[in-house]
Amino acid sequence: MSLLLARPYKRRAMEITGGSENKPYIQSLQMNGKGYDNTWLPWQAMRNGGSLHVEPGKTPHKNRGTRTAPPSFQ
């Protein structure tokens, strides 16, 4: 899946791989080739485009994304 990020005078693509209808839970996530443990994506990391790789699973990963609260909770 591709996501087109439109900014004034610039267009960047975010390429998204992985995911599955049969496996709706995220087990791990890589952003631009590096492990990413948060449950939210910062705009600063996405604004220039890049890649997201999702490793899906059938059950929730109960510890993933529990270390850092999202900005809206801070």
Side-chain angles (χ1 to χ4, degrees):
M1 175 171 128
S2 269
L3 174 67
L4 183 62
L5 304 172
R7 294 184 60 210
Y9 309 107
K10 292 183 181 179
R11 292 182 141 217
R12 301 285 187 249
M14 180 67 73
E15 194 66 33
I16 303 169
T17 59
S20 168
E21 288 183 16
N22 300 330
K23 297 178 181 178
Y25 299 100
I26 295 175
Q27 302 301 307
S28 66
L29 177 67
Q30 287 187 342
M31 183 186 307
N32 297 324
K34 297 180 182 177
Y36 191 79
D37 190 46
N38 292 331
T39 57
W40 47 274
L41 299 171
W43 173 247
Q44 295 83 359
M46 295 176 48
R47 68 178 170 206
N48 293 323
S51 65
L52 288 176
H53 176 73
V54 176
E55 187 64 40
K58 290 186 177 185
T59 60
H61 186 299
K62 304 232 179 194
N63 295 323
R64 190 183 171 286
T66 60
R67 295 181 189 164
T68 305
S72 59
F73 282 44
Q74 295 177 359

